[in-house]
């Protein structure tokens, strides 16, 4: 079973930074792959925060533009989410996702990591 393991969540003060990491098996990182970070606010559906394709294209939710940055290190099979200027409203469970753009069965999720922004 393919696993994605996230780390880097925790408690941070407003204005602070965190870097989330998501490491997976080498076999799921390759061409035609889309890697993303999603968040789930209390009582709401999971939504996209940021995504990056194997070709390097990126996409961000409006509420994180200019504050968050997604990147991937293929040598380490790891996707990162650098989170800067964090706000209390960023508090959520963040999960990573790796999927193949054309093969729907190749769709993998991590277990999620809690990010809490509070003074």
């Amino acid at each position: 079973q393919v696993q994605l393991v996230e780390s880097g969540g925790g408690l941070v003060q407003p204005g602070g930074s965190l870097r989330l990491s998501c490491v997976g098996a080498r076999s799921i990182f390759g061409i035609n792959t889309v890697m993303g970070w999603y968040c789930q606010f209390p009582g709401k559906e999971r939504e996209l925060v940021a995504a990056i394709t194997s070709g390097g294209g990126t996409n961000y939710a409006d509420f994180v533009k200019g504050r968050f940055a997604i990147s991937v290190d293929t040598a380490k099979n790891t996707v990162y989410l650098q989170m800067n200027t964090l706000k209390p409203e960023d508090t959520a469970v963040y999960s990573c996702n790796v999927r193949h753009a054309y093969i729907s069965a190749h769709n993998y999720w991590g277990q999620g990591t809690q990010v809490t922004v509070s003074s």
Side-chain angles (χ1 to χ4, degrees):
Q1 183 177 357
V2 177
Q3 287 185 319
L4 293 173
V5 180
E6 298 125 334
S7 61
L11 174 65
V12 63
Q13 292 187 341
S17 297
L18 284 174
R19 189 177 78 158
L20 306 183
S21 300
C22 172
V23 60
R26 180 183 301 276
S27 61
I28 67 173
F29 290 87
I31 61 172
N32 297 320
T33 299
V34 181
M35 295 145 282
W37 285 95
Y38 290 73
C39 68
Q40 187 167 21
F41 301 108
K44 295 191 176 182
E45 297 291 321
R46 188 163 51 191
E47 61 184 278
L48 178 69
V49 175
I52 185 168
T53 69
S54 52
T58 57
N59 182 41
Y60 293 92
D62 287 343
F63 71 93
V64 304
K65 285 180 179 177
R67 299 189 298 125
F68 292 9
I70 188 171
S71 61
V72 58
D73 185 336
T74 54
K76 296 182 178 180
N77 307 324
T78 302
V79 185
Y80 301 99
L81 183 68
Q82 179 66 44
M83 311 167 72
N84 298 325
T85 319
L86 283 160
K87 305 174 182 179
E89 51 263 42
D90 294 321
T91 296
V93 175
Y94 287 76
S95 302
C96 68
N97 171 261
V98 178
R99 63 179 176 86
H100 194 281
Y102 306 115
I103 305 174
S104 59
H106 293 186
N107 189 354
Y108 311 104
W109 289 91
Q111 80 285 357
T113 185
Q114 177 69 46
V115 171
T116 302
V117 185
S118 176
S119 55

